[in-house]
Amino acid sequence: MSASVEGEVKPGALYVVATPIGNLGDLSPRAMAVLGQVDRIAAEDTRTTANLLSHFGIRTPEGGLVALHDHNEARVADGLIRDLAAGGSLALVSDAGTPLISDPGYALVRAARAAEVPVYTVPGPCAAIAALSVSGLATDRFVFAGFLPAKSVARRAAFEQLRHEPRTAIFYESTHRIEDSLDDLVAVLGPERRVCLARELSKRFEQSITLTAGALRDWQREDPNRGRGEFVLVVEGVPDAADDAAAERVLRLLLAELPPSRAARLAAEITGAPRKPLYALAMKLASEDEGEAEGAGGDGKETDGR
Ligand code: SAM
C-alpha cells in the first residue's frame, strides 16, 4: 500500500476519477493530485467541474477542460483517444460520484481499452454503494439497476423482475417520482418486502431508513421534506429456492427431536433463513405428522395389520 500522491500521473494514461456525491470533504487527496497533474480533464459538465476545481484551488492548463456528455461522447472520445495515444494524460469525471455509473464515460473507456491505452481508477464516492452499505440489507450479492423508468408501466415491469430475485437490488430515483415509485413497488412486490430509502447521502439532510415497503411508503408521505433531494432505493432480495430447500431439510431434522418453536429458531440460526416462515412451516409439518400418526393409529388401539 502507498499513500503517495506525488508524480501520480503517467503519460498516455486515462484516469477515471470519482468526485463527491454531496460532501466536498469526500474528494480524496489522490483525486486532487491527479486532477491537478493531468493534461486534460473530460467533464460531464465543465461548469460543475470548474467549480469543484476552483474550490480546491486546482489549476488546469488553458483549454484543459473538455465537455464529455451523453450527447457528444461518441464523437469526442475519438479525439481524446488520439491525444492519449500521443502521450497526453486525461482524467474523466462526472458531475458527482463515480463516472460511468449512470453517468457518461462508457464510450471513452471502451475506446481506450480498444486502443490499449492504460486506464487507472481513482476510486471514491458512489451513491449506489453508499446506500447499500448503510441499508442493513444483504450486501453479499446485489444488482445495480440504474435509474427506475419514468413511466409507471415500465417501472412496474422493472419491479416485476424482482419478484423472485434473490439478490439485493439498487435503483436510482429522481425527486419528482419517488412517491409514485413507492406506490408501484408496493403494488408489485407487496407491502412486506423490505426496502431502504436513502436520500441526500453525505449531505446536510442525509436520511436513510429501512422498513417494509408499505411502512416506508407511509413514512415517506408523512413529511414533504422526505420527497426532496436525491434518492437511492435498495430492495431486499427473496431467499433462494435452494436456500429454502436447505432450511426445510434442517428444520425437518430438528423437528424430529424438538418442539416447533425451538426447531424453527435453531433452523433459522443454522441456515440464516428468516424465523417466521420457518415457524409457520414447522407448525404445518408438526400438524401433518400428528394427522398421520392419528391416521396410522386409527382409534388408538394397537393393530398388527391383520
Ligand atoms: N455517478 C453517480 C454515482 O456514482 O453515484 C450517479 C450519478 S446519477 C446521474 C445521479 C443519481 O444518483 C441521483 O438521481 C440519485 O439517484 C443518485 N445520487 C447521487 N448522489 C446522491 C446522494 N447524495 N444521495 C442519494 N442519491 C444520490
Side-chain angles (χ1 to χ4, degrees):
M1 233 192 276
S2 145
S4 158
V5 290
E6 290 304 315
E8 180 69 57
V9 165
K10 297 181 175 72
L14 170 62
Y15 292 83
V16 179
V17 181
T19 58
I21 55 170
N23 190 324
L24 290 182
D26 293 335
L27 188 73
S28 74
R30 187 165 163 248
M32 281 187 237
V34 168
L35 293 174
Q37 288 170 32
V38 285
D39 297 314
R40 297 177 93 183
I41 299 172
E44 180 182 8
D45 181 331
T46 52
R47 275 169 310 176
T48 305
T49 300
N51 287 339
L52 182 77
L53 296 175
S54 96
H55 178 88
F56 288 99
I58 299 169
R59 286 182 206 285
T60 37
E62 189 69 25
L65 258 185
V66 192
L68 179 125
H69 42 71
D70 288 340
H71 307 294
N72 73 356
E73 182 169 358
R75 181 163 46 81
V76 170
D78 280 353
L80 292 174
I81 297 297
R82 273 197 299 278
D83 291 348
L84 283 159
S89 55
L90 178 70
L92 168 70
V93 294
S94 61
D95 286 354
T98 301
L100 281 86
I101 308 302
S102 292
D103 265 344
Y106 175 62
L108 178 67
V109 172
R110 219 180 132 84
R113 291 268 167 207
E116 296 183 8
V117 164
V119 185
Y120 295 106
T121 176
V122 182
C126 174
I129 298 300
L132 175 68
S133 67
V134 297
S135 68
L137 300 177
T139 54
D140 52 344
R141 291 181 298 167
F142 60 88
V143 270
F144 171 62
F147 275 98
L148 275 166
K151 299 234 161 72
S152 181
V153 173
R155 203 160 48 222
R156 286 186 181 216
F159 288 137
E160 196 61 55
Q161 291 185 356
L162 301 186
R163 208 180 267 281
H164 305 291
E165 173 59 68
R167 295 166 295 180
T168 302
I170 308 170
F171 294 99
Y172 284 161
E173 183 51 295
S174 82
T175 296
H176 332 287
R177 294 193 290 263
I178 190 69
E179 281 196 29
D180 293 346
S181 289
L182 288 174
D183 279 345
D184 286 340
L185 194 153
V186 172
V188 176
L189 298 175
E192 294 305 324
R193 185 78 72 103
R194 288 202 310 151
V195 180
C196 174
L197 178 67
R199 66 180 274 269
E200 297 292 89
L201 290 167
S202 82
K203 301 188 205 177
R204 181 148 172 235
F205 297 110
E206 170 169 347
Q207 239 177 351
S208 56
I209 182 162
T210 302
L211 294 170
T212 59
L216 185 69
R217 182 181 53 178
D218 296 344
W219 176 88
Q220 197 271 324
R221 268 164 209 192
E222 276 166 22
D223 178 351
N225 286 322
R226 295 174 184 164
R228 301 205 170 106
E230 297 190 279
F231 297 89
V232 184
L233 272 181
V234 187
V235 183
E236 183 171 50
V238 286
D240 248 337
D243 290 350
D244 281 357
E248 186 175 330
R249 261 200 314 280
V250 170
L251 181 68
R252 281 179 186 276
L253 286 172
L254 292 169
L255 263 182
E257 309 291 333
L258 297 169
S261 64
R262 284 205 65 202
R265 190 169 52 75
L266 279 176
E269 263 175 45
I270 293 166
T271 62
R275 196 185 59 81
K276 245 179 159 176
L278 279 176
Y279 179 68
L281 180 61
M283 293 302 287
K284 183 167 160 262
L285 292 172
S287 71
E288 278 171 12
D289 276 358
E290 265 171 33
E292 271 170 31
E294 272 170 24
D299 53 10
K301 289 180 203 142
E302 280 193 358
T303 57
D304 63 4
R306 278 177 284 180

